Amino acid sequence: MSWLLLPGTHIGDLALTEKVYADMKDIAAGTATAEERLAIVADWVREDISVMAKNAASMRSRLGLKEEVLAQKERAKGTWGTREVAFAREWGGHRFSDEEVEKLLAGETIDFQATSQQGKTYDVFGKLGEGTYKGKKFVGFQKLGFGRRDASGAVLPPKEWCKHVFTQAEIQKLTAGESIEAGDFVSGKTGNNFSCKVSWDSKTQKIVPDFGTSGDEPPMSWCGVKFTDAQRKDLAHGKTIEGKGFLSKKTGKKFDAKLTWKEEKGAKKLVPSFG
């Protein structure tokens, strides 16, 4: 359909095409200069752009097509240091507020909640700086790290991990370097519940799980079923408890069993019986 753009243009005139070839021969022979002949061609190009724009409108009308208008990305402008800059006002689905723009231009670090391409939200912090994209330098928001920060700038543990939402008390313990234990974590791969202890590594800014057990401390859940405090107490005292609705990791089927917390091969573990 591109031929619909050519009516009335110089580029669509075969006679002018022949003239261009003749001009090229004159330039090669030294009877004309490239500058004088290219000046004429430049005028043709400018005229053709105007004509083709009108032809494009007629073509869309003829074919029933709508003109696609490319959305311009919003940019924030201001003085950054000694430079006048313009940068993308949105990052990770978050639009910088006027206050955030002022802080970025002032060289401050800001925190906000962004959204991944999968639709998941996450906390991030960073500042205005120079970056490189496809070999070209630009000024824009530069991520410094993930997570929330306290007043001193230290990164805090996340609000949740594996679907478990930490309480304020748990976050305080994690921040203080202590471990916490929970039985309602959910595996992102299998969707099954699991229990473990977790701690916060402030250097790597990650939650670190610990699946080991020590002493007479039974797990908080087993095969997708969370134990009550009374059940864990009975297990710790060597009693056998009965449970229903356990989920087999191999077959995906539910089953009932009696459980005892006892030592086998030098380690404490849950031992099921089905009799």
Side-chain angles (χ1 to χ4, degrees):
M1 293 296 180
S2 59
W3 59 270
L4 292 174
L5 299 174
L6 298 178
T9 63
H10 296 291
I11 194 174
D13 188 340
L14 294 178
L16 286 181
T17 302
E18 292 178 1
K19 184 180 185 312
V20 170
Y21 280 121
D23 287 344
M24 292 172 65
K25 290 181 180 180
D26 290 343
I27 294 171
T31 58
T33 65
E35 288 75 12
E36 61 183 5
R37 297 300 168 89
L38 287 176
I40 297 173
V41 174
D43 289 336
W44 293 347
V45 171
R46 282 189 285 269
E47 292 173 7
D48 279 359
I49 290 174
S50 177
V51 173
M52 292 177 79
K54 294 178 181 178
N55 289 344
S58 299
M59 180 183 72
R60 285 192 294 270
S61 177
R62 177 177 175 180
L63 299 177
L65 302 175
K66 292 183 179 180
E67 183 176 4
E68 292 186 7
V69 180
L70 296 177
Q72 294 291 325
K73 291 186 177 180
E74 185 181 8
R75 300 182 71 79
K77 298 179 180 180
T79 304
W80 178 53
T82 59
R83 300 166 56 183
E84 291 297 318
V85 297
F87 59 94
R89 188 154 185 171
E90 183 178 309
W91 194 94
H94 171 79
R95 181 183 182 275
F96 300 125
S97 66
D98 291 343
E99 182 181 357
E100 288 173 329
V101 169
E102 290 181 7
K103 287 183 177 180
L104 288 170
L105 289 170
E108 297 181 31
T109 299
I110 64 171
D111 307 68
F112 58 90
Q113 194 171 73
T115 305
S116 70
Q117 293 181 345
Q118 292 73 35
K120 295 182 178 180
T121 57
Y122 59 95
D123 295 304
V124 65
F125 60 91
K127 61 194 303 184
L128 202 62
E130 285 192 342
T132 303
Y133 180 71
K134 292 185 177 180
K136 295 184 178 180
K137 291 185 177 181
F138 70 96
V139 173
F141 176 79
Q142 304 297 317
K143 174 181 65 64
L144 296 179
F146 296 104
R148 300 169 299 123
R149 300 181 306 149
D150 61 18
S152 68
V155 179
L156 295 170
K159 294 180 180 178
E160 65 175 80
W161 185 77
C162 287
K163 300 294 181 70
H164 172 81
V165 179
F166 296 117
T167 64
Q168 189 59 40
E170 288 176 329
I171 289 178
Q172 289 176 353
K173 286 184 177 181
L174 290 170
T175 304
E178 299 178 32
S179 296
I180 66 164
E181 187 174 2
D184 60 348
F185 296 118
V186 179
S187 169
K189 292 183 178 180
T190 66
N192 294 333
N193 283 74
F194 66 93
S195 63
C196 70
K197 290 182 179 180
V198 296
S199 59
W200 170 244
D201 189 329
S202 59
K203 292 183 178 180
T204 61
Q205 299 176 9
K206 291 182 179 180
I207 290 290
V208 180
D210 178 8
F211 296 95
T213 56
S214 60
D216 291 326
E217 191 175 330
M220 298 188 72
S221 66
W222 186 75
C223 289
V225 174
K226 184 178 180 180
F227 298 127
T228 64
D229 291 340
Q231 287 175 319
R232 293 188 73 214
K233 185 176 181 180
D234 286 342
L235 287 169
H237 285 82
K239 296 181 180 180
T240 298
I241 66 170
E242 292 188 20
K244 295 183 178 181
F246 297 116
L247 184 66
S248 171
K249 294 180 180 179
K250 291 184 178 180
T251 66
K253 295 181 179 180
K254 291 187 176 182
F255 63 93
D256 302 334
K258 294 180 180 180
L259 299 174
T260 307
W261 177 246
K262 60 183 180 180
E263 186 172 333
E264 282 194 357
K265 296 181 180 180
K268 282 274 193 175
K269 65 178 183 179
L270 283 174
V271 179
S273 61
F274 303 95

